[in-house]
Each structure stands twice: as C-alpha cells, then as structure tokens.
Amino acid sequence: MLEGATAPPCPAPDPDDVEAIGSLEPPTCPKCHHSVRRYPTNYNKWVDLATCDLPAKDVPEPYRWRLTKGSGPHAGMWIAVRVHAICPLPSDLVLPAHAFLCPGEEAERQDLAP
C-alpha cells in the first residue's frame, strides 16, 4: 500500500501471562530490522512509523502521518492519521511511515520500476 499502512496488528497481551508482558519487545521492520512505532490507523489498518519526526518538506505527501487520541473502538489510544486534508507548512514536523525510510522498501521499489 502506498502510504505504508501494511503492518500487522499488535497482539493483545494476555493479562494473566505476566512473563509475556515483561518480554514484549518493540516491533521491528521485517525487511531492515530497524525499530518502528506501530499504531492503528483511523481506517482499521496498522502502520509502522519511523522513530523520528521530519519536516513535511522532506516527506512525500502519501507518507506523512500524525498521532491523535482515538475515539470509538480506539478510545484513549493513540492512532495514526494521514496528513493530507490540510497541507502542513514545509517546516511542520510529521511522522513518516517507516516504508518511506526503509532500505528494504527502497530496494523493492527499484525492482518494480520499469
């Protein structure tokens, strides 16, 4: 998917399994093994976001995300929303989808190029 919302959902920990909760590690990209921040989106998909903010001018529009507090089934959780309805200023910070920065994704895009 172009905007990078292809991550699997984070598993819900079993509240009775204390060992599993203590051993949860942050998610990593399966292609490059870098740490990512995985969040649900506002349209029932999950996205891996980069671990740093970048100025909007450095991130193509399809890969720009922000975090907001969710409502409904995601009430009280942080959810990722694409930044596309209102164009940010070039210096505004956005969270890029990890897919934009991933060397594994870049290699895959080059392989698909005509």
Side-chain angles (χ1 to χ4, degrees), residues 1-9 29-31 38-39 41 43-49 63 65 97-99 105 108:
M1 184 167 283
L2 182 63
E3 80 277 334
T6 59
C29 173
K31 294 182 181 175
R38 186 167 293 156
Y39 290 96
T41 68
Y43 55 95
N44 297 325
K45 297 219 181 247
W46 288 70
V47 63
D48 284 342
L49 300 177
Y63 296 101
W65 294 83
H98 175 74
E105 291 280 341
E108 208 171 89

PDB file of all heavy atoms in Angstrom, residues 1-9 29-31 38-39 41 43-49 63 65 97-99 105 108:
ATOM      1  N   MET A   1       0.841  -1.166   0.000  1.00  0.00           N
ATOM      2  CA  MET A   1       0.000   0.000   0.000  1.00  0.00           C
ATOM      3  C   MET A   1       0.893   1.239   0.000  1.00  0.00           C
ATOM      4  O   MET A   1       1.857   1.321   0.738  1.00  0.00           O
ATOM      5  CB  MET A   1      -0.931  -0.027   1.202  1.00  0.00           C
ATOM      6  CG  MET A   1      -1.897   1.119   1.217  1.00  0.00           C
ATOM      7  SD  MET A   1      -3.223   0.902   2.412  1.00  0.00           S
ATOM      8  CE  MET A   1      -4.242  -0.251   1.543  1.00  0.00           C
ATOM      9  N   LEU A   2       0.557   2.218  -0.780  1.00  0.00           N
ATOM     10  CA  LEU A   2       1.404   3.375  -0.999  1.00  0.00           C
ATOM     11  C   LEU A   2       1.736   4.133   0.276  1.00  0.00           C
ATOM     12  O   LEU A   2       2.859   4.557   0.468  1.00  0.00           O
ATOM     13  CB  LEU A   2       0.740   4.313  -2.011  1.00  0.00           C
ATOM     14  CG  LEU A   2       1.532   5.562  -2.373  1.00  0.00           C
ATOM     15  CD1 LEU A   2       2.839   5.190  -3.036  1.00  0.00           C
ATOM     16  CD2 LEU A   2       0.728   6.450  -3.279  1.00  0.00           C
ATOM     17  N   GLU A   3       0.781   4.309   1.177  1.00  0.00           N
ATOM     18  CA  GLU A   3       1.049   5.129   2.357  1.00  0.00           C
ATOM     19  C   GLU A   3       1.739   4.361   3.476  1.00  0.00           C
ATOM     20  O   GLU A   3       2.048   4.915   4.507  1.00  0.00           O
ATOM     21  CB  GLU A   3      -0.229   5.794   2.862  1.00  0.00           C
ATOM     22  CG  GLU A   3      -1.122   4.913   3.695  1.00  0.00           C
ATOM     23  CD  GLU A   3      -2.042   4.031   2.875  1.00  0.00           C
ATOM     24  OE1 GLU A   3      -2.373   4.364   1.735  1.00  0.00           O
ATOM     25  OE2 GLU A   3      -2.438   2.992   3.383  1.00  0.00           O
ATOM     26  N   GLY A   4       1.984   3.100   3.304  1.00  0.00           N
ATOM     27  CA  GLY A   4       2.723   2.320   4.282  1.00  0.00           C
ATOM     28  C   GLY A   4       1.884   1.643   5.343  1.00  0.00           C
ATOM     29  O   GLY A   4       2.428   1.055   6.267  1.00  0.00           O
ATOM     30  N   ALA A   5       0.568   1.687   5.258  1.00  0.00           N
ATOM     31  CA  ALA A   5      -0.289   1.075   6.276  1.00  0.00           C
ATOM     32  C   ALA A   5      -0.472  -0.403   5.988  1.00  0.00           C
ATOM     33  O   ALA A   5      -1.541  -0.870   5.639  1.00  0.00           O
ATOM     34  CB  ALA A   5      -1.633   1.792   6.352  1.00  0.00           C
ATOM     35  N   THR A   6       0.602  -1.167   6.149  1.00  0.00           N
ATOM     36  CA  THR A   6       0.577  -2.596   5.854  1.00  0.00           C
ATOM     37  C   THR A   6       1.046  -3.431   7.036  1.00  0.00           C
ATOM     38  O   THR A   6       1.253  -4.622   6.896  1.00  0.00           O
ATOM     39  CB  THR A   6       1.482  -2.902   4.647  1.00  0.00           C
ATOM     40  OG1 THR A   6       2.812  -2.473   4.955  1.00  0.00           O
ATOM     41  CG2 THR A   6       0.983  -2.204   3.393  1.00  0.00           C
ATOM     42  N   ALA A   7       1.228  -2.812   8.195  1.00  0.00           N
ATOM     43  CA  ALA A   7       1.745  -3.527   9.365  1.00  0.00           C
ATOM     44  C   ALA A   7       0.684  -4.457   9.939  1.00  0.00           C
ATOM     45  O   ALA A   7      -0.507  -4.167   9.874  1.00  0.00           O
ATOM     46  CB  ALA A   7       2.185  -2.524  10.428  1.00  0.00           C
ATOM     47  N   PRO A   8       1.129  -5.563  10.526  1.00  0.00           N
ATOM     48  CA  PRO A   8       0.170  -6.437  11.203  1.00  0.00           C
ATOM     49  C   PRO A   8      -0.252  -5.795  12.517  1.00  0.00           C
ATOM     50  O   PRO A   8       0.516  -5.036  13.113  1.00  0.00           O
ATOM     51  CB  PRO A   8       0.973  -7.715  11.442  1.00  0.00           C
ATOM     52  CG  PRO A   8       2.391  -7.266  11.508  1.00  0.00           C
ATOM     53  CD  PRO A   8       2.489  -6.089  10.568  1.00  0.00           C
ATOM     54  N   PRO A   9      -1.449  -6.095  12.994  1.00  0.00           N
ATOM     55  CA  PRO A   9      -1.874  -5.548  14.283  1.00  0.00           C
ATOM     56  C   PRO A   9      -0.968  -6.035  15.409  1.00  0.00           C
ATOM     57  O   PRO A   9      -0.430  -7.140  15.355  1.00  0.00           O
ATOM     58  CB  PRO A   9      -3.284  -6.094  14.468  1.00  0.00           C
ATOM     59  CG  PRO A   9      -3.717  -6.564  13.134  1.00  0.00           C
ATOM     60  CD  PRO A   9      -2.476  -6.904  12.364  1.00  0.00           C
ATOM     61  N   CYS A  29      10.995  -3.726  11.821  1.00  0.00           N
ATOM     62  CA  CYS A  29      10.659  -3.934  10.412  1.00  0.00           C
ATOM     63  C   CYS A  29      11.172  -5.309   9.982  1.00  0.00           C
ATOM     64  O   CYS A  29      12.333  -5.642  10.221  1.00  0.00           O
ATOM     65  CB  CYS A  29      11.310  -2.830   9.581  1.00  0.00           C
ATOM     66  SG  CYS A  29      11.148  -3.074   7.801  1.00  0.00           S
ATOM     67  N   PRO A  30      10.343  -6.121   9.328  1.00  0.00           N
ATOM     68  CA  PRO A  30      10.797  -7.439   8.889  1.00  0.00           C
ATOM     69  C   PRO A  30      11.819  -7.368   7.749  1.00  0.00           C
ATOM     70  O   PRO A  30      12.540  -8.323   7.519  1.00  0.00           O
ATOM     71  CB  PRO A  30       9.516  -8.141   8.437  1.00  0.00           C
ATOM     72  CG  PRO A  30       8.555  -7.048   8.144  1.00  0.00           C
ATOM     73  CD  PRO A  30       8.933  -5.896   9.028  1.00  0.00           C
ATOM     74  N   LYS A  31      11.900  -6.230   7.062  1.00  0.00           N
ATOM     75  CA  LYS A  31      12.827  -6.108   5.927  1.00  0.00           C
ATOM     76  C   LYS A  31      14.196  -5.592   6.340  1.00  0.00           C
ATOM     77  O   LYS A  31      15.209  -6.057   5.851  1.00  0.00           O
ATOM     78  CB  LYS A  31      12.226  -5.207   4.855  1.00  0.00           C
ATOM     79  CG  LYS A  31      11.000  -5.832   4.227  1.00  0.00           C
ATOM     80  CD  LYS A  31      10.425  -4.975   3.143  1.00  0.00           C
ATOM     81  CE  LYS A  31       9.176  -5.673   2.599  1.00  0.00           C
ATOM     82  NZ  LYS A  31       8.471  -4.903   1.643  1.00  0.00           N
ATOM     83  N   ARG A  38       4.472   1.132  15.919  1.00  0.00           N
ATOM     84  CA  ARG A  38       3.292   0.565  15.246  1.00  0.00           C
ATOM     85  C   ARG A  38       2.025   1.111  15.900  1.00  0.00           C
ATOM     86  O   ARG A  38       1.851   1.022  17.104  1.00  0.00           O
ATOM     87  CB  ARG A  38       3.329  -0.947  15.330  1.00  0.00           C
ATOM     88  CG  ARG A  38       2.231  -1.635  14.540  1.00  0.00           C
ATOM     89  CD  ARG A  38       2.505  -3.105  14.394  1.00  0.00           C
ATOM     90  NE  ARG A  38       3.684  -3.274  13.553  1.00  0.00           N
ATOM     91  CZ  ARG A  38       4.469  -4.339  13.580  1.00  0.00           C
ATOM     92  NH1 ARG A  38       4.214  -5.336  14.378  1.00  0.00           N
ATOM     93  NH2 ARG A  38       5.525  -4.410  12.784  1.00  0.00           N
ATOM     94  N   TYR A  39       1.148   1.683  15.065  1.00  0.00           N
ATOM     95  CA  TYR A  39      -0.095   2.267  15.552  1.00  0.00           C
ATOM     96  C   TYR A  39      -1.266   1.851  14.670  1.00  0.00           C
ATOM     97  O   TYR A  39      -1.097   1.672  13.461  1.00  0.00           O
ATOM     98  CB  TYR A  39      -0.033   3.804  15.532  1.00  0.00           C
ATOM     99  CG  TYR A  39       0.894   4.366  16.565  1.00  0.00           C
ATOM    100  CD1 TYR A  39       2.191   4.710  16.239  1.00  0.00           C
ATOM    101  CD2 TYR A  39       0.473   4.551  17.879  1.00  0.00           C
ATOM    102  CE1 TYR A  39       3.054   5.228  17.187  1.00  0.00           C
ATOM    103  CE2 TYR A  39       1.322   5.071  18.832  1.00  0.00           C
ATOM    104  CZ  TYR A  39       2.614   5.412  18.485  1.00  0.00           C
ATOM    105  OH  TYR A  39       3.459   5.918  19.430  1.00  0.00           O
ATOM    106  N   THR A  41      -4.571   2.761  12.548  1.00  0.00           N
ATOM    107  CA  THR A  41      -4.983   3.953  11.799  1.00  0.00           C
ATOM    108  C   THR A  41      -6.458   4.213  12.079  1.00  0.00           C
ATOM    109  O   THR A  41      -7.123   3.415  12.731  1.00  0.00           O
ATOM    110  CB  THR A  41      -4.791   3.761  10.281  1.00  0.00           C
ATOM    111  OG1 THR A  41      -5.730   2.776   9.837  1.00  0.00           O
ATOM    112  CG2 THR A  41      -3.370   3.333   9.943  1.00  0.00           C
ATOM    113  N   TYR A  43      -8.656   3.962   9.896  1.00  0.00           N
ATOM    114  CA  TYR A  43      -9.440   3.189   8.930  1.00  0.00           C
ATOM    115  C   TYR A  43      -9.122   1.693   8.989  1.00  0.00           C
ATOM    116  O   TYR A  43      -9.028   1.005   7.995  1.00  0.00           O
ATOM    117  CB  TYR A  43      -9.293   3.748   7.509  1.00  0.00           C
ATOM    118  CG  TYR A  43      -7.876   3.881   6.996  1.00  0.00           C
ATOM    119  CD1 TYR A  43      -7.288   2.886   6.229  1.00  0.00           C
ATOM    120  CD2 TYR A  43      -7.136   5.031   7.260  1.00  0.00           C
ATOM    121  CE1 TYR A  43      -6.002   3.008   5.749  1.00  0.00           C
ATOM    122  CE2 TYR A  43      -5.857   5.171   6.767  1.00  0.00           C
ATOM    123  CZ  TYR A  43      -5.297   4.162   6.029  1.00  0.00           C
ATOM    124  OH  TYR A  43      -4.014   4.295   5.558  1.00  0.00           O
ATOM    125  N   ASN A  44      -8.957   1.184  10.222  1.00  0.00           N
ATOM    126  CA  ASN A  44      -8.842  -0.253  10.506  1.00  0.00           C
ATOM    127  C   ASN A  44      -7.632  -0.946   9.880  1.00  0.00           C
ATOM    128  O   ASN A  44      -7.698  -2.124   9.556  1.00  0.00           O
ATOM    129  CB  ASN A  44     -10.124  -0.994  10.135  1.00  0.00           C
ATOM    130  CG  ASN A  44     -11.291  -0.533  10.960  1.00  0.00           C
ATOM    131  OD1 ASN A  44     -11.124  -0.215  12.135  1.00  0.00           O
ATOM    132  ND2 ASN A  44     -12.456  -0.469  10.362  1.00  0.00           N
ATOM    133  N   LYS A  45      -6.565  -0.225   9.685  1.00  0.00           N
ATOM    134  CA  LYS A  45      -5.286  -0.822   9.282  1.00  0.00           C
ATOM    135  C   LYS A  45      -4.267  -0.418  10.334  1.00  0.00           C
ATOM    136  O   LYS A  45      -4.556   0.382  11.218  1.00  0.00           O
ATOM    137  CB  LYS A  45      -4.861  -0.318   7.903  1.00  0.00           C
ATOM    138  CG  LYS A  45      -5.822  -0.715   6.814  1.00  0.00           C
ATOM    139  CD  LYS A  45      -5.074  -1.079   5.578  1.00  0.00           C
ATOM    140  CE  LYS A  45      -6.055  -1.446   4.491  1.00  0.00           C
ATOM    141  NZ  LYS A  45      -5.992  -2.814   4.135  1.00  0.00           N
ATOM    142  N   TRP A  46      -3.081  -0.955  10.236  1.00  0.00           N
ATOM    143  CA  TRP A  46      -1.993  -0.607  11.137  1.00  0.00           C
ATOM    144  C   TRP A  46      -0.830  -0.107  10.306  1.00  0.00           C
ATOM    145  O   TRP A  46      -0.626  -0.543   9.173  1.00  0.00           O
ATOM    146  CB  TRP A  46      -1.578  -1.821  11.959  1.00  0.00           C
ATOM    147  CG  TRP A  46      -2.582  -2.190  13.009  1.00  0.00           C
ATOM    148  CD1 TRP A  46      -3.820  -2.723  12.801  1.00  0.00           C
ATOM    149  CD2 TRP A  46      -2.450  -2.030  14.413  1.00  0.00           C
ATOM    150  NE1 TRP A  46      -4.459  -2.907  13.995  1.00  0.00           N
ATOM    151  CE2 TRP A  46      -3.639  -2.498  14.999  1.00  0.00           C
ATOM    152  CE3 TRP A  46      -1.436  -1.550  15.235  1.00  0.00           C
ATOM    153  CZ2 TRP A  46      -3.836  -2.497  16.375  1.00  0.00           C
ATOM    154  CZ3 TRP A  46      -1.641  -1.560  16.598  1.00  0.00           C
ATOM    155  CH2 TRP A  46      -2.828  -2.023  17.160  1.00  0.00           C
ATOM    156  N   VAL A  47      -0.047   0.816  10.872  1.00  0.00           N
ATOM    157  CA  VAL A  47       1.074   1.397  10.144  1.00  0.00           C
ATOM    158  C   VAL A  47       2.306   1.406  11.039  1.00  0.00           C
ATOM    159  O   VAL A  47       2.217   1.647  12.238  1.00  0.00           O
ATOM    160  CB  VAL A  47       0.736   2.826   9.645  1.00  0.00           C
ATOM    161  CG1 VAL A  47       0.477   3.786  10.783  1.00  0.00           C
ATOM    162  CG2 VAL A  47       1.824   3.364   8.708  1.00  0.00           C
ATOM    163  N   ASP A  48       3.446   1.108  10.434  1.00  0.00           N
ATOM    164  CA  ASP A  48       4.729   1.243  11.116  1.00  0.00           C
ATOM    165  C   ASP A  48       5.263   2.627  10.796  1.00  0.00           C
ATOM    166  O   ASP A  48       5.444   2.979   9.614  1.00  0.00           O
ATOM    167  CB  ASP A  48       5.722   0.188  10.624  1.00  0.00           C
ATOM    168  CG  ASP A  48       5.433  -1.189  11.198  1.00  0.00           C
ATOM    169  OD1 ASP A  48       4.714  -1.271  12.214  1.00  0.00           O
ATOM    170  OD2 ASP A  48       5.932  -2.178  10.630  1.00  0.00           O
ATOM    171  N   LEU A  49       5.494   3.415  11.838  1.00  0.00           N
ATOM    172  CA  LEU A  49       6.005   4.764  11.665  1.00  0.00           C
ATOM    173  C   LEU A  49       7.473   4.811  12.062  1.00  0.00           C
ATOM    174  O   LEU A  49       7.943   4.013  12.874  1.00  0.00           O
ATOM    175  CB  LEU A  49       5.208   5.752  12.520  1.00  0.00           C
ATOM    176  CG  LEU A  49       3.718   5.837  12.208  1.00  0.00           C
ATOM    177  CD1 LEU A  49       3.035   6.800  13.173  1.00  0.00           C
ATOM    178  CD2 LEU A  49       3.497   6.291  10.773  1.00  0.00           C
ATOM    179  N   TYR A  63       3.223   9.636   2.636  1.00  0.00           N
ATOM    180  CA  TYR A  63       3.888   9.024   3.783  1.00  0.00           C
ATOM    181  C   TYR A  63       3.839   9.882   5.047  1.00  0.00           C
ATOM    182  O   TYR A  63       4.491   9.570   6.023  1.00  0.00           O
ATOM    183  CB  TYR A  63       5.349   8.728   3.438  1.00  0.00           C
ATOM    184  CG  TYR A  63       5.500   7.715   2.339  1.00  0.00           C
ATOM    185  CD1 TYR A  63       5.777   8.111   1.036  1.00  0.00           C
ATOM    186  CD2 TYR A  63       5.371   6.360   2.595  1.00  0.00           C
ATOM    187  CE1 TYR A  63       5.922   7.181   0.021  1.00  0.00           C
ATOM    188  CE2 TYR A  63       5.514   5.416   1.589  1.00  0.00           C
ATOM    189  CZ  TYR A  63       5.791   5.841   0.306  1.00  0.00           C
ATOM    190  OH  TYR A  63       5.926   4.912  -0.690  1.00  0.00           O
ATOM    191  N   TRP A  65       2.276  11.308   8.429  1.00  0.00           N
ATOM    192  CA  TRP A  65       1.337  10.877   9.471  1.00  0.00           C
ATOM    193  C   TRP A  65       1.472  11.759  10.696  1.00  0.00           C
ATOM    194  O   TRP A  65       2.511  12.364  10.926  1.00  0.00           O
ATOM    195  CB  TRP A  65       1.624   9.427   9.880  1.00  0.00           C
ATOM    196  CG  TRP A  65       1.359   8.432   8.806  1.00  0.00           C
ATOM    197  CD1 TRP A  65       2.194   8.081   7.790  1.00  0.00           C
ATOM    198  CD2 TRP A  65       0.180   7.651   8.617  1.00  0.00           C
ATOM    199  NE1 TRP A  65       1.598   7.125   6.985  1.00  0.00           N
ATOM    200  CE2 TRP A  65       0.372   6.852   7.480  1.00  0.00           C
ATOM    201  CE3 TRP A  65      -1.016   7.549   9.318  1.00  0.00           C
ATOM    202  CZ2 TRP A  65      -0.587   5.958   7.030  1.00  0.00           C
ATOM    203  CZ3 TRP A  65      -1.967   6.657   8.867  1.00  0.00           C
ATOM    204  CH2 TRP A  65      -1.754   5.874   7.738  1.00  0.00           C
ATOM    205  N   ALA A  97       5.961   7.439   7.478  1.00  0.00           N
ATOM    206  CA  ALA A  97       5.781   5.983   7.508  1.00  0.00           C
ATOM    207  C   ALA A  97       7.161   5.361   7.370  1.00  0.00           C
ATOM    208  O   ALA A  97       8.016   5.849   6.616  1.00  0.00           O
ATOM    209  CB  ALA A  97       4.887   5.538   6.357  1.00  0.00           C
ATOM    210  N   HIS A  98       7.399   4.306   8.099  1.00  0.00           N
ATOM    211  CA  HIS A  98       8.707   3.647   8.008  1.00  0.00           C
ATOM    212  C   HIS A  98       8.998   3.205   6.579  1.00  0.00           C
ATOM    213  O   HIS A  98      10.147   3.213   6.151  1.00  0.00           O
ATOM    214  CB  HIS A  98       8.787   2.459   8.969  1.00  0.00           C
ATOM    215  CG  HIS A  98      10.056   1.688   8.832  1.00  0.00           C
ATOM    216  ND1 HIS A  98      11.263   2.156   9.309  1.00  0.00           N
ATOM    217  CD2 HIS A  98      10.311   0.503   8.231  1.00  0.00           C
ATOM    218  CE1 HIS A  98      12.209   1.287   9.006  1.00  0.00           C
ATOM    219  NE2 HIS A  98      11.655   0.275   8.357  1.00  0.00           N
ATOM    220  N   ALA A  99       7.963   2.856   5.841  1.00  0.00           N
ATOM    221  CA  ALA A  99       8.149   2.405   4.453  1.00  0.00           C
ATOM    222  C   ALA A  99       8.898   3.444   3.614  1.00  0.00           C
ATOM    223  O   ALA A  99       9.619   3.093   2.689  1.00  0.00           O
ATOM    224  CB  ALA A  99       6.801   2.102   3.815  1.00  0.00           C
ATOM    225  N   GLU A 105      12.415  -1.481   1.585  1.00  0.00           N
ATOM    226  CA  GLU A 105      11.317  -0.994   0.742  1.00  0.00           C
ATOM    227  C   GLU A 105      11.869  -0.277  -0.491  1.00  0.00           C
ATOM    228  O   GLU A 105      11.343  -0.417  -1.582  1.00  0.00           O
ATOM    229  CB  GLU A 105      10.413  -0.039   1.521  1.00  0.00           C
ATOM    230  CG  GLU A 105       9.596  -0.690   2.600  1.00  0.00           C
ATOM    231  CD  GLU A 105       8.360  -1.389   2.061  1.00  0.00           C
ATOM    232  OE1 GLU A 105       7.933  -1.096   0.936  1.00  0.00           O
ATOM    233  OE2 GLU A 105       7.839  -2.245   2.791  1.00  0.00           O
ATOM    234  N   GLU A 108      12.947  -2.743  -2.987  1.00  0.00           N
ATOM    235  CA  GLU A 108      11.773  -3.361  -3.607  1.00  0.00           C
ATOM    236  C   GLU A 108      11.147  -2.426  -4.641  1.00  0.00           C
ATOM    237  O   GLU A 108      10.736  -2.851  -5.717  1.00  0.00           O
ATOM    238  CB  GLU A 108      10.754  -3.686  -2.507  1.00  0.00           C
ATOM    239  CG  GLU A 108       9.868  -4.850  -2.820  1.00  0.00           C
ATOM    240  CD  GLU A 108       9.059  -5.239  -1.610  1.00  0.00           C
ATOM    241  OE1 GLU A 108       7.954  -4.681  -1.458  1.00  0.00           O
ATOM    242  OE2 GLU A 108       9.521  -6.085  -0.833  1.00  0.00           O
TER     243      GLU A 108
END
